[in-house]
Amino acid sequence: MIKTLLIVVPIFVAAHLRAQPATDTTRKSPIPTLTYEQYHAFLKGEAGEDMARVAEMNHYPLPEKVLKYKYELDLSPIQVKKLTEAANYLHRRRLQIGGSIIDTEHNLDSMFRYNKVQDGNLIFYTNRYGLYQGELKNAFLQACLSTHNLLSQQQMARFESLEKRK
């Protein structure tokens, strides 16, 4: 059942995706518990990159970072295809989970704002929020794992030297 919830972008978020212009730091977030920047990062599928830190620190890079150096690393067409698929899957998951996080924040805000907080629904939504955070971290770490497994030791060493130069 939880997997089904993650696949559909919540209606509240879908409406805001159509209505919101590009990120504007002078505007307020429609969700008071998120900054405007956080809100738009979730909507665009750009939030959470810090969740890959444990993998990246241990030589498991994100696929989109490796793809920036596809010529320098002499990636094969199969490697490029699989890295692109991993990057696209991660982006889709970031969009899905980000929408769910926004929806959950909206529900929590509404419960407190309208004094409708009950023990049961508070437990439900906070546990749900934790689930989404775990799903997002897993999506990042799975992408890093698949990226690491696609690269040779020489490509990995070259990638790390290229990253150090930037």
Side-chain angles (χ1 to χ4, degrees):
M1 178 173 166
I2 297 299
K3 294 285 184 199
T4 305
L5 290 173
L6 294 176
I7 293 173
V8 178
V9 176
I11 294 170
F12 176 80
V13 174
H16 278 78
L17 273 171
R18 291 187 299 271
Q20 297 297 322
T23 301
D24 176 0
T25 57
T26 61
R27 296 187 62 193
K28 289 179 110 180
S29 170
I31 309 294
T33 56
L34 297 173
T35 67
Y36 194 77
E37 293 78 17
Q38 289 171 319
Y39 175 77
H40 277 279
F42 282 127
L43 281 182
K44 293 179 186 177
E46 297 172 355
E49 195 158 317
D50 59 328
M51 291 189 160
R53 187 171 297 131
V54 67
E56 291 187 294
M57 288 174 52
N58 291 289
H59 316 287
Y60 289 75
L62 284 163
E64 53 274 356
K65 290 184 178 181
V66 171
L67 283 169
K68 289 190 303 188
Y69 302 112
K70 65 183 173 185
Y71 299 111
E72 294 91 333
L73 298 175
D74 195 27
L75 296 176
S76 72
I78 292 172
Q79 285 176 309
V80 171
K81 180 180 184 269
K82 289 186 179 205
L83 288 167
T84 302
E85 288 171 356
N88 290 341
Y89 179 76
L90 177 58
H91 183 72
R92 283 192 311 275
R93 293 296 290 144
R94 289 168 87 174
L95 285 169
Q96 291 168 348
I97 296 166
S100 296
I101 289 171
I102 288 172
D103 193 42
T104 300
E105 284 287 341
H106 173 70
N107 288 327
L108 286 166
D109 178 57
S110 292
M111 285 173 12
F112 279 94
R113 180 180 310 184
Y114 299 112
N115 199 24
K116 301 286 183 188
V117 183
Q118 295 175 356
D119 214 29
N121 61 10
L122 185 59
I123 290 168
F124 174 79
Y125 283 108
T126 55
N127 284 340
R128 192 169 160 178
Y129 190 87
L131 171 74
Y132 296 141
Q133 290 291 322
E135 288 281 334
L136 188 56
K137 187 161 188 95
N138 182 57
F140 272 100
L141 298 181
Q142 290 289 341
C144 291
L145 176 62
S146 66
T147 300
H148 176 81
N149 291 340
L150 285 169
L151 300 177
S152 70
Q153 289 180 345
Q154 294 81 10
Q155 288 171 320
M156 193 64 215
R158 179 77 175 133
F159 168 76
E160 288 178 348
S161 71
L162 290 165
E163 279 288 287
K164 285 180 186 175
R165 289 186 200 170
K166 71 172 199 174

